[in-house]
Amino acid sequence: MFKALTIAGSDSGGGAGIQADLKTFQELQVFGMSALTAVTAQNTLGVHGVYPMTAEAVSQQIKAIGEDMGTDAIKTGMLFNAEIIEAVSEHLVRYQWKNVVVDPVMIAKGGASLLQQEAISALKKYLLPRALVITPNIPEAEVLTDMSIRTAQDKREAVMRLFDLGVKNIVLKGGHDEDPSESVDLLFDGKEFYTFSSKRISTKNTHGTGCTFSAAITAWLAKGLSVLEAVTKAKEFIQAAIEEEIEIGQGHGPTNHWAYRKRNKVLIDS
C-alpha cells in the first residue's frame, strides 16, 4: 500500500488545499493522510477567511502519522507562518522523510495572502533545503529569487537560484506565461533542463491547479517513480483535469480530478 501525507490548509470549496490533494491521491491509488495547517472559508469567488492552526497542533498531527503509519511521500501546501514551517521542517528531519514536494503557496487566485511575509525567509531557510521537489509558479518564484521572470532565460536563472538554496529539483510552472497558446513548465535537476509544453485551455475553471499538480507528483513519487517520470505523469493528470471541465460555482471553478482516470479508461497500475 502506497501512502502520501499532505500538510496543507483546508479549502471549504473543495477545489484546492487538502481536499484537492486527497482527491488526487485517491485517483492515483495512493492512500492519503493529512495534517491541517489552517481552515479557510472560501469558494469559487475567493477566500473569505483564514484561520490558522497552532504550530503545536500541526506538529501533533504529523507526529501521529510518523509514529504509526509512516508515509512514502509528503506534500506541503499552505503553511501560513514561520512557526508552522519550522515545526514541519523539524519532523522531516526527525522521521528522515526524503520524498518531499513543496508547493510554496503564497497567494490565492483571488489575491488573498496565504503566507505571512515573515514566513518567506523561514521557508527558504528551513524547508527548501529539505525538499526533493519544489513547484512554484512564476509569481512565487519571483518572490523566492528576488528577480523578475519574463523570458526563457529568466526562467533558467530563477531555477538555478532556487537550486542554490538547496532544492534538488525545481519545477517552475508556466501557467502565468504570456503566451496565449501554450504553457511551458521547466524542470531543473541540478544538471539538466527539461521542458513540458501543454496547450493552454481557455477556461475560468482552474482553481486548485497548483495543488493538484504537486499532489500528483507526490503520489507518483510515493509509488517509486523518478522525479522526471513523476512530473511527466503529473502533467498528464493536470492537463486532463483542466481540459475536461466541470462547472461548479460562480467564479473560478475547480478542476476535474477524475478526468485522468476517465480518460485512461482503465485502473491505474499499482
Side-chain angles (χ1 to χ4, degrees):
M1 173 63 67
F2 301 106
K3 297 164 291 183
L5 168 64
T6 171
I7 305 172
S10 168
D11 172 5
S12 56
I18 61 166
Q19 285 83 352
D21 296 342
L22 293 175
K23 290 174 187 178
T24 302
F25 295 163
Q26 184 74 12
E27 287 295 317
L28 295 177
Q29 296 185 336
V30 171
F31 184 81
M33 303 164 290
S34 64
L36 189 63
T37 60
V39 172
T40 70
Q42 69 176 291
N43 52 26
T44 66
L45 298 175
V47 178
H48 306 288
V50 178
Y51 309 94
M53 304 290 286
T54 65
E56 176 63 18
V58 176
S59 181
Q60 287 298 324
Q61 292 175 79
I62 300 171
K63 184 179 178 182
I65 301 301
E67 295 190 351
D68 177 26
M69 304 160 77
T71 186
D72 298 304
I74 295 170
K75 178 214 157 171
T76 68
M78 173 188 175
L79 298 178
F80 191 70
N81 61 37
E83 292 77 15
I84 291 175
I85 290 170
E86 290 185 41
V88 170
S89 178
E90 288 173 4
H91 285 292
L92 296 181
V93 174
R94 176 175 299 164
Y95 298 111
Q96 298 184 336
W97 287 327
K98 304 299 183 185
N99 285 334
V100 179
V101 178
V102 173
D103 185 19
V105 176
M106 295 182 183
I107 300 174
K109 270 191 170 56
S113 176
L114 301 178
L115 183 69
Q116 292 182 341
Q117 185 64 34
E118 58 268 26
I120 294 172
S121 59
L123 184 71
K124 293 164 72 172
K125 179 179 179 180
Y126 296 107
L127 196 56
L128 295 195
R130 315 248 186 264
L132 175 63
V133 183
I134 183 175
T135 62
N137 59 31
I138 289 175
E140 290 162 348
E142 288 181 329
V143 171
L144 292 172
T145 60
D146 298 314
M147 65 174 286
S148 175
I149 303 172
R150 296 291 181 269
T151 67
Q153 184 55 43
D154 289 341
K155 286 185 176 182
R156 291 193 169 216
E157 172 64 24
V159 297
M160 286 190 290
R161 289 191 186 187
L162 289 169
F163 182 78
D164 288 341
L165 292 175
V167 185
K168 299 173 182 64
N169 300 270
I170 301 94
V171 181
L172 180 55
K173 297 177 292 190
H176 289 76
D177 282 339
E178 296 178 358
D179 189 328
S181 61
E182 68 175 358
S183 171
V184 180
D185 294 353
L186 178 65
L187 166 63
F188 180 57
D189 65 2
K191 295 180 180 178
E192 302 290 337
F193 292 94
Y194 304 89
T195 57
F196 303 83
S197 299
S198 55
K199 179 182 178 183
R200 191 178 294 277
I201 307 302
S202 179
T203 176
K204 63 184 178 69
N205 298 318
T206 57
H207 179 55
T209 51
C211 299
T212 300
F213 175 59
S214 57
I217 294 174
T218 306
W220 289 116
L221 289 174
K223 298 175 84 168
L225 272 65
S226 69
V227 171
L228 179 58
E229 292 169 329
V231 173
T232 300
K233 284 186 171 290
K235 281 291 292 182
E236 295 172 0
F237 188 95
I238 192 58
Q239 189 69 13
I242 296 171
E243 288 179 352
E244 308 231 355
E245 289 188 83
I246 52 176
E247 292 287 346
I248 295 178
Q250 304 169 62
H252 291 288
T255 62
N256 184 349
H257 289 91
W258 60 79
Y260 179 84
R261 173 169 49 87
K262 178 182 175 184
R263 180 171 289 187
N264 284 271
K265 296 182 181 178
V266 292
L267 288 174
I268 301 160
D269 291 339
S270 60

